Amino acid sequence: MEKCLLLGNGGREAVLAEYISKGYKLYTVCPYENPTIIEMVNKSYGKYIIADPFDKKIVADFIKENEIEVCLISSDNLLQDGLIDVARELGLKTFGPTSKGAKIEWSKTYALEIVEKLAPEMIIKNYNITDVNQLKSIIDKYEDDSFVVKPEGLTGGKGVKVGGIHFKGKEEGFEYAKSCLETSGNVIIQDKIEGREFTVMALTDGENIVVTPITFDYPYRFDEDKGPGTGGMGCLSFKDGMLPFLEKKDVDECAKLIKNTLKYINKDSIEFNGVIYGGFFKTKNGIKFIEFNARFGDPEALNVLNSLETPFTEVMENIFNKTLNTNNCKFKNNYTFTVYIVTKEYAIENRKEPLVFTMNKDKIQEQGVKVYFANTKNIEGNIYSSVSNSRLFGLTASGETLEEARKKVYNSMKGNIDKKLDYRKDIGNIYEH
Ligand code: GLY
């Protein structure tokens, strides 16, 4: 069995660890022992070391010492930092873009430039601002706070702020935009539009794409989409791979943009394979582009990998061989449902001390629900501790109906997760917002 290096330590990497370890021996360099990832390393007779995965020398030495053949990375910062480039230089088969390929995610202006060329009708009116006077005059032109402030670099889903929701009034919007400008030298101001947000993710070998089931993410911290933006509090996908408010032509339009974008990025050499993620809005004036990510979404990966019918490691091989198509990358016909469990402070304030909590993983799993650890480590038995201020663990179930999958997840929590923990109670009520 070949050896595969996975870098990254979130819930997305936990589900990737599960599926990679079905066909490869799993290896990782990790900052702490994520219980799911370590379980999969051990089950597949792989190996891990506790070290900084951003340290290129440590990673390169680990690859060489263990004669690792394959590498998968799906974490934005690791991709931006060029960890795939390190694996490629050592001759590994890689899943994930080079740092240059990942620029569609780490530079919002670059992504907008590409879409402006390839599909100008999908662009929402925007301004790339590089000085404070220009910022002031652009914001002054708006009648009220109906604009969106987008920082240039990676922000883990927490940087984009929408007028009327995340800031109130032009002055507050200006102050936030000014702070973004000071951090990175530019900031994007975009018109606020009405519509429904959705994600189209595609697996790609660099040329061919296969669109995964469309997912609906719940980015806001509290029920009814209140509170700040987060990495994602929950996610669902439908049986036919579509969402109720979308038509096939909508998805085809997004897929066309994704395919043309890949062609554009890979025009000189293959910089991009793995997953390309497009965030879109369906509006009364058509589909509008929001952003690209160069990786699986998190929690979206928990839903999509649980709806793959083809073994994921076969999909990986088809990506390496550039033979990916819809016959060798198939999805099940089911609903999937994910809820992320977090601390009460998550996305509101930083905890000073780690949170120690209990959770009965076996009792949850007995009910047909999968547990994917993220920023959590095991202390002993059912006692765990948070390792940062990010999400703690995700719970995912599948079903013949959305209600079945939803009930499985929410019912499994009863008596099995600590009252100190928090989560959204309204995941799945998509018709209501
Ligand atoms: N859930 C959104 C993201 O992964 O960026």
Side-chain angles (χ1 to χ4, degrees), residues 217 231 277 293 295 297-300:
D217 184 23
Y277 167 129
N293 291 333
R295 52 169 175 87
D298 185 357
E300 289 88 340

Side-chain angles (χ1 to χ4, degrees), residues 12 76 105 156-157 199 217-219 230-235 277 291 293 295-301 391:
R12 169 184 49 215
D76 46 4
E105 174 161 6
T199 303
D217 184 23
Y218 286 74
T230 72
M233 296 297 291
C235 186
Y277 167 129
E291 64 178 359
N293 291 333
R295 52 169 175 87
F296 277 116
D298 185 357
E300 289 88 340
R391 296 168 292 183

